[in-house]
Amino acid sequence: MSIKEEDFIEELKRIVKQKGLKYTEQREIVLSILLQADDHLTAEEIYNKIKEEFPETNVGIATVYRALSFLEEVELIASINFGTDGKKYESNAKSHHDHLICTDCSKIIEFIDDEIEKRQEKVAKANKFKITGHSMQLYGLCEDCQK
Amino acid sequence: MSIKEEDFIEELKRIVKQKGLKYTEQREIVLSILLQADDHLTAEEIYNKIKEEFPETNVGIATVYRALSFLEEVELIASINFGTDGKKYESNAKSHHDHLICTDCSKIIEFIDDEIEKRQEKVAKANKFKITGHSMQLYGLCEDCQK
DNA sequence: GTCAATGCAAATCGTTTGCATGAAC
DNA sequence: GTTCATGCAAACGATTTGCATTGAC
């Protein structure tokens, strides 16, 4: 487990305690699965991974959803929306970024563009909006799928 | 009906014919509702508007969904995703733009930023992606809801 | 007349909820 | 011991599908 991952687990403990809630194995497992994943996972994929990697722990899909909502709320993880096809989650251990999504094979490429970020702030300010989050996806065909 | 709206209806007729499909009143009604709407509508809202504005026409919600998929596929309309809360549609008669969405009152403000568009192209090119569409939403609190 | 499009109801899928039980504190 | 979190199954809401019927061509 990398240092960053430990930090996130510690952060979760801190948040839970500070809110007067309880620290459970399930919440930790969901977070750690996302910390170790190198791609974006759906709730169901996380649920299956738990059953695989932690067969001794009994988890319900409802708990996975509850943990994900909680972790997203406290900003330890983030989600991208795939419409009817559900949401995908990733940990916030990586720095902020946006996504290029292949509409054919669903591959996701992450990118950062500071200029875009800056312009977004500007637009928000011009419209007197207090930004709490944003979601930007570019859809298209990846190199392989263009063939 | 503005000239632009007529153009869109004509375009629909052309596309339908070219594809060897059938031109139906229902598809035209769904498109024209979106052409006349000044805000973004859900499938259900469109369905209700049809029952209101075209009470003599019998439509099922399934047909509305089928028409919306079709119209989106041929790029006469576009959608923005609200996750579990469903999709909202708008016609493509207006020029391309992105959205500022209030997480409190759901108000949507449209904006265009050429610089952001340019940077997006650049990012796509750098990753050898062939862009077919994009979706960018900034979430936050609008002026009123900050109070 | 043929074939696509429709309306309806049932089915599906991701997600949420109610409730009794179990675990953290 | 109290209270929050869990697992399970049932409920939910948006969207899709199967199928017999209708309507466009």
Side-chain angles (χ1 to χ4, degrees):
Chain A
M1 192 185 273
S2 76
I3 291 177
K4 240 189 171 173
E5 280 177 46
E6 279 170 4
D7 285 351
F8 266 67
I9 301 287
E10 285 314 308
E11 181 65 14
L12 174 58
K13 285 183 184 158
R14 214 174 303 139
I15 291 169
V16 163
K17 182 176 246 176
Q18 181 220 311
K19 286 184 176 264
L21 302 178
K22 282 151 192 179
Y23 193 78
T24 64
E25 196 187 356
Q26 287 85 343
R27 295 216 253 235
E28 182 181 312
I29 288 178
V30 170
L31 177 57
S32 72
I33 293 257
L34 283 172
L35 285 166
Q36 279 160 44
D38 45 358
D39 50 352
H40 304 69
L41 303 175
T42 64
E44 194 122 18
E45 284 164 349
I46 294 166
Y47 175 65
N48 290 330
K49 263 184 193 286
I50 295 174
K51 293 212 286 195
E52 234 176 72
E53 297 175 26
F54 302 85
E56 72 287 352
T57 307
N58 195 13
V59 260
I61 187 80
T63 300
V64 173
Y65 278 105
R66 285 187 278 232
L68 288 170
S69 300
F70 177 76
L71 293 170
E72 189 172 16
E73 201 182 305
V74 302
E75 297 185 341
L76 289 172
I77 66 172
S79 66
I80 32 176
N81 237 302
F82 281 76
T84 312
D85 315 340
K87 268 179 169 178
K88 290 196 170 189
Y89 293 86
E90 65 185 335
S91 87
N92 277 340
K94 312 180 229 177
S95 57
H96 168 74
H97 55 259
D98 294 307
H99 301 95
L100 271 165
I101 302 171
C102 179
T103 50
D104 205 34
C105 71
S106 295
K107 190 196 297 172
I108 299 176
I109 295 178
E110 299 171 353
F111 70 90
I112 310 172
D113 189 299
D114 288 336
E115 188 58 34
I116 291 180
E117 304 294 320
K118 269 186 225 155
R119 305 290 300 194
Q120 288 176 345
E121 302 264 324
K122 218 169 183 171
V123 167
K125 196 167 277 178
N127 287 280
K128 304 212 165 81
F129 245 70
K130 188 189 173 88
I131 292 293
T132 55
H134 81 259
S135 137
M136 173 173 149
Q137 294 98 238
L138 302 180
Y139 297 99
L141 293 173
C142 70
E143 194 174 4
D144 291 342
C145 293
Q146 286 172 46
K147 287 164 193 164
Chain B
M1 192 185 271
S2 77
I3 291 176
K4 243 188 168 172
E5 280 177 46
E6 279 171 3
D7 285 353
F8 266 67
I9 300 288
E10 285 313 309
E11 182 65 13
L12 174 58
K13 285 184 185 158
R14 212 174 303 139
I15 292 169
V16 163
K17 182 176 246 176
Q18 180 220 313
K19 285 184 176 265
L21 302 177
K22 282 151 192 178
Y23 193 79
T24 63
E25 196 187 357
Q26 288 86 342
R27 295 217 253 235
E28 182 181 312
I29 289 178
V30 170
L31 177 56
S32 71
I33 293 256
L34 283 171
L35 286 166
Q36 279 160 42
D38 45 358
D39 51 351
H40 305 69
L41 302 176
T42 63
E44 194 123 17
E45 285 164 348
I46 294 166
Y47 175 64
N48 290 330
K49 264 185 193 287
I50 296 175
K51 292 212 288 194
E52 234 175 73
E53 297 176 25
F54 302 85
E56 71 288 353
T57 306
N58 196 12
V59 259
I61 186 81
T63 300
V64 173
Y65 277 106
R66 285 187 278 232
L68 287 169
S69 300
F70 176 77
L71 293 170
E72 189 172 15
E73 203 182 304
V74 301
E75 298 186 340
L76 289 172
I77 66 172
S79 66
I80 33 176
N81 239 302
F82 282 76
T84 314
D85 314 340
K87 269 179 169 178
K88 290 196 171 190
Y89 293 86
E90 64 185 335
S91 87
N92 277 340
K94 312 181 229 180
S95 57
H96 168 74
H97 55 260
D98 294 308
H99 301 95
L100 273 165
I101 301 170
C102 180
T103 50
D104 205 34
C105 70
S106 295
K107 191 197 297 175
I108 299 176
I109 296 178
E110 299 173 351
F111 70 89
I112 310 171
D113 188 299
D114 288 336
E115 188 58 33
I116 291 180
E117 303 294 321
K118 269 187 224 154
R119 305 289 302 194
Q120 288 177 343
E121 301 265 325
K122 217 168 184 174
V123 167
K125 194 166 278 179
N127 287 282
K128 303 211 165 78
F129 244 71
K130 188 192 174 85
I131 292 293
T132 55
H134 82 261
S135 136
M136 174 174 148
Q137 294 97 239
L138 302 180
Y139 296 99
L141 293 174
C142 71
E143 193 174 5
D144 291 341
C145 293
Q146 285 173 46
K147 287 165 193 164

